Amino acid sequence: MEPLPPPLLFYAAPPHGHVICSEKWRNSPLVQSLKGVQIIFENELRVADFLLPNKTSVLYVSECDIIAGSSYKRKLVRYRNAGSSFQEVVLVEKTRLSEQYFPAVQRFVVFDLGLSLLPVGGQTDASQLIAQMVHGEGRENPFRRRSSCRLLDRLVPALVQQIPGVGKVKALVLLRHFSSVQQLCNASPAELESIVGQASAQQIHSFFHKQIAGT
DNA sequence: CGATCACGTTC
DNA sequence: GAACGTGATCG
């Protein structure tokens, strides 16, 4: 019996110069040495570790993950199957300790899963890499592929526009304030009101929270 | 009140 | 999918 896959989350890319980061990284060396990058912590970021403004998502596989056995494979499979609109990149710690396992990890990530892999020496190494990708945003992203990545870029705003009272303009404004539909769903009426005004705020809140008749 | 937006209709 | 009209909403 496989556990249920994580919910499919529709994330929007973070603003320029920002990184969305899963909460568990808050006190890590990687985040602390991220220079010149604004960090948005998100506690529901289950599948990826980082989201970058160039629509890249990053999963970090540590030395410990690799040495501990094959359980890192499950994490990688879930990552790929999450079906996000982001270009998935896997950072793998290649250290003195994990070196001997690296070829096997590489084979699994690249050949079996078809993901991009970047070896890093450690968290400081990785933070430089992430800072470069955030800062050098203007340049082309070498990991960019599959045009189908663009599919959700149109789908997410279209989805938000299904909310009564929300059209093209407000959908885009909302997605600038909330990095995911999930965050939008959990927003308080007061928070919504400051963004789209009272009328739409109520419609949005009841869209997500109204009860089905009889339950 | 004037600008902006949602939303339906039209071609 | 562009262009319009209309009514609601916002500051």
Side-chain angles (χ1 to χ4, degrees), chain A residues 165-167 169-170:
Chain A
V166 177
V169 176
K170 282 177 179 157

mmCIF file of all heavy atoms in Angstrom, chain A residues 165-167 169-170, chain B residues 4-8:
data_model
loop_
_atom_site.group_PDB
_atom_site.id
_atom_site.type_symbol
_atom_site.label_atom_id
_atom_site.label_comp_id
_atom_site.label_asym_id
_atom_site.label_seq_id
_atom_site.Cartn_x
_atom_site.Cartn_y
_atom_site.Cartn_z
ATOM 1 N N GLY A 165 -16.682 37.194 -8.896
ATOM 2 C CA GLY A 165 -16.180 38.513 -8.524
ATOM 3 C C GLY A 165 -14.706 38.700 -8.788
ATOM 4 O O GLY A 165 -14.159 39.771 -8.552
ATOM 5 N N VAL A 166 -14.063 37.646 -9.262
ATOM 6 C CA VAL A 166 -12.632 37.731 -9.566
ATOM 7 C C VAL A 166 -12.433 37.548 -11.067
ATOM 8 O O VAL A 166 -12.806 36.527 -11.622
ATOM 9 C CB VAL A 166 -11.822 36.657 -8.805
ATOM 10 C CG1 VAL A 166 -10.359 36.724 -9.201
ATOM 11 C CG2 VAL A 166 -11.993 36.848 -7.315
ATOM 12 N N GLY A 167 -11.867 38.555 -11.683
ATOM 13 C CA GLY A 167 -11.582 38.499 -13.111
ATOM 14 C C GLY A 167 -10.092 38.497 -13.356
ATOM 15 O O GLY A 167 -9.311 38.157 -12.470
ATOM 16 N N VAL A 169 -7.840 40.892 -13.711
ATOM 17 C CA VAL A 169 -7.003 41.801 -12.917
ATOM 18 C C VAL A 169 -6.831 41.299 -11.486
ATOM 19 O O VAL A 169 -5.706 41.145 -10.997
ATOM 20 C CB VAL A 169 -7.608 43.214 -12.908
ATOM 21 C CG1 VAL A 169 -6.806 44.129 -12.000
ATOM 22 C CG2 VAL A 169 -7.665 43.760 -14.314
ATOM 23 N N LYS A 170 -7.951 41.010 -10.833
ATOM 24 C CA LYS A 170 -7.861 40.598 -9.435
ATOM 25 C C LYS A 170 -7.173 39.245 -9.290
ATOM 26 O O LYS A 170 -6.488 38.996 -8.301
ATOM 27 C CB LYS A 170 -9.242 40.577 -8.791
ATOM 28 C CG LYS A 170 -9.705 41.980 -8.440
ATOM 29 C CD LYS A 170 -11.091 42.045 -7.859
ATOM 30 C CE LYS A 170 -11.413 43.497 -7.534
ATOM 31 N NZ LYS A 170 -12.837 43.770 -7.467
ATOM 32 P P DT B 4 -8.112 54.176 -14.390
ATOM 33 O OP1 DT B 4 -6.658 54.125 -14.132
ATOM 34 O OP2 DT B 4 -8.641 54.349 -15.756
ATOM 35 O "O5'" DT B 4 -8.764 52.856 -13.772
ATOM 36 C "C5'" DT B 4 -8.696 52.657 -12.367
ATOM 37 C "C4'" DT B 4 -9.456 51.398 -11.991
ATOM 38 O "O4'" DT B 4 -10.884 51.641 -12.084
ATOM 39 C "C3'" DT B 4 -9.163 50.202 -12.914
ATOM 40 O "O3'" DT B 4 -8.797 49.113 -12.092
ATOM 41 C "C2'" DT B 4 -10.496 49.965 -13.625
ATOM 42 C "C1'" DT B 4 -11.482 50.481 -12.595
ATOM 43 N N1 DT B 4 -12.813 50.891 -13.121
ATOM 44 C C2 DT B 4 -13.949 50.396 -12.512
ATOM 45 O O2 DT B 4 -13.911 49.634 -11.573
ATOM 46 N N3 DT B 4 -15.133 50.833 -13.063
ATOM 47 C C4 DT B 4 -15.282 51.684 -14.141
ATOM 48 O O4 DT B 4 -16.388 52.000 -14.540
ATOM 49 C C5 DT B 4 -14.064 52.178 -14.724
ATOM 50 C C7 DT B 4 -14.107 53.097 -15.892
ATOM 51 C C6 DT B 4 -12.895 51.757 -14.201
ATOM 52 P P DC B 5 -8.204 47.785 -12.793
ATOM 53 O OP1 DC B 5 -7.148 47.264 -11.911
ATOM 54 O OP2 DC B 5 -7.925 48.060 -14.216
ATOM 55 O "O5'" DC B 5 -9.437 46.794 -12.702
ATOM 56 C "C5'" DC B 5 -9.977 46.515 -11.402
ATOM 57 C "C4'" DC B 5 -11.297 45.795 -11.542
ATOM 58 O "O4'" DC B 5 -12.260 46.685 -12.130
ATOM 59 C "C3'" DC B 5 -11.250 44.553 -12.438
ATOM 60 O "O3'" DC B 5 -11.484 43.403 -11.634
ATOM 61 C "C2'" DC B 5 -12.371 44.774 -13.452
ATOM 62 C "C1'" DC B 5 -13.186 45.906 -12.841
ATOM 63 N N1 DC B 5 -13.821 46.811 -13.825
ATOM 64 C C2 DC B 5 -15.203 46.985 -13.799
ATOM 65 O O2 DC B 5 -15.872 46.362 -12.976
ATOM 66 N N3 DC B 5 -15.778 47.825 -14.698
ATOM 67 C C4 DC B 5 -15.025 48.480 -15.568
ATOM 68 N N4 DC B 5 -15.635 49.302 -16.421
ATOM 69 C C5 DC B 5 -13.604 48.332 -15.606
ATOM 70 C C6 DC B 5 -13.050 47.486 -14.721
ATOM 71 P P DA B 6 -11.448 41.965 -12.327
ATOM 72 O OP1 DA B 6 -10.911 41.056 -11.318
ATOM 73 O OP2 DA B 6 -10.839 42.038 -13.672
ATOM 74 O "O5'" DA B 6 -13.000 41.653 -12.519
ATOM 75 C "C5'" DA B 6 -13.878 41.844 -11.419
ATOM 76 C "C4'" DA B 6 -15.288 41.363 -11.769
ATOM 77 O "O4'" DA B 6 -15.917 42.334 -12.647
ATOM 78 C "C3'" DA B 6 -15.375 40.029 -12.501
ATOM 79 O "O3'" DA B 6 -16.544 39.369 -12.028
ATOM 80 C "C2'" DA B 6 -15.496 40.425 -13.960
ATOM 81 C "C1'" DA B 6 -16.250 41.747 -13.889
ATOM 82 N N9 DA B 6 -15.881 42.738 -14.899
ATOM 83 C C8 DA B 6 -14.630 43.026 -15.350
ATOM 84 N N7 DA B 6 -14.596 43.991 -16.241
ATOM 85 C C5 DA B 6 -15.923 44.371 -16.384
ATOM 86 C C6 DA B 6 -16.556 45.336 -17.176
ATOM 87 N N6 DA B 6 -15.903 46.139 -18.012
ATOM 88 N N1 DA B 6 -17.900 45.452 -17.066
ATOM 89 C C2 DA B 6 -18.543 44.639 -16.211
ATOM 90 N N3 DA B 6 -18.060 43.695 -15.414
ATOM 91 C C4 DA B 6 -16.728 43.606 -15.550
ATOM 92 P P DC B 7 -16.832 37.869 -12.515
ATOM 93 O OP1 DC B 7 -17.575 37.236 -11.410
ATOM 94 O OP2 DC B 7 -15.581 37.293 -13.025
ATOM 95 O "O5'" DC B 7 -17.840 38.027 -13.741
ATOM 96 C "C5'" DC B 7 -18.949 38.896 -13.619
ATOM 97 C "C4'" DC B 7 -19.598 39.042 -14.977
ATOM 98 O "O4'" DC B 7 -18.984 40.127 -15.703
ATOM 99 C "C3'" DC B 7 -19.442 37.794 -15.871
ATOM 100 O "O3'" DC B 7 -20.703 37.479 -16.410
ATOM 101 C "C2'" DC B 7 -18.477 38.265 -16.952
ATOM 102 C "C1'" DC B 7 -18.882 39.723 -17.042
ATOM 103 N N1 DC B 7 -17.920 40.619 -17.722
ATOM 104 C C2 DC B 7 -18.411 41.736 -18.413
ATOM 105 O O2 DC B 7 -19.620 41.921 -18.439
ATOM 106 N N3 DC B 7 -17.538 42.564 -19.038
ATOM 107 C C4 DC B 7 -16.229 42.314 -18.992
ATOM 108 N N4 DC B 7 -15.420 43.167 -19.610
ATOM 109 C C5 DC B 7 -15.700 41.180 -18.299
ATOM 110 C C6 DC B 7 -16.581 40.375 -17.685
ATOM 111 P P DG B 8 -21.051 35.997 -16.947
ATOM 112 O OP1 DG B 8 -21.665 35.265 -15.834
ATOM 113 O OP2 DG B 8 -19.846 35.461 -17.647
ATOM 114 O "O5'" DG B 8 -22.153 36.276 -18.054
ATOM 115 C "C5'" DG B 8 -23.104 37.319 -17.855
ATOM 116 C "C4'" DG B 8 -23.294 38.087 -19.137
ATOM 117 O "O4'" DG B 8 -22.133 38.917 -19.372
ATOM 118 C "C3'" DG B 8 -23.465 37.197 -20.383
ATOM 119 O "O3'" DG B 8 -24.692 37.507 -21.014
ATOM 120 C "C2'" DG B 8 -22.253 37.529 -21.254
ATOM 121 C "C1'" DG B 8 -21.829 38.906 -20.750
ATOM 122 N N9 DG B 8 -20.398 39.145 -20.890
ATOM 123 C C8 DG B 8 -19.371 38.380 -20.365
ATOM 124 N N7 DG B 8 -18.192 38.848 -20.656
ATOM 125 C C5 DG B 8 -18.432 39.983 -21.419
ATOM 126 C C6 DG B 8 -17.540 40.906 -22.019
ATOM 127 O O6 DG B 8 -16.303 40.896 -21.987
ATOM 128 N N1 DG B 8 -18.203 41.917 -22.701
ATOM 129 C C2 DG B 8 -19.575 42.028 -22.804
ATOM 130 N N2 DG B 8 -20.033 43.051 -23.504
ATOM 131 N N3 DG B 8 -20.433 41.176 -22.247
ATOM 132 C C4 DG B 8 -19.796 40.181 -21.572
#
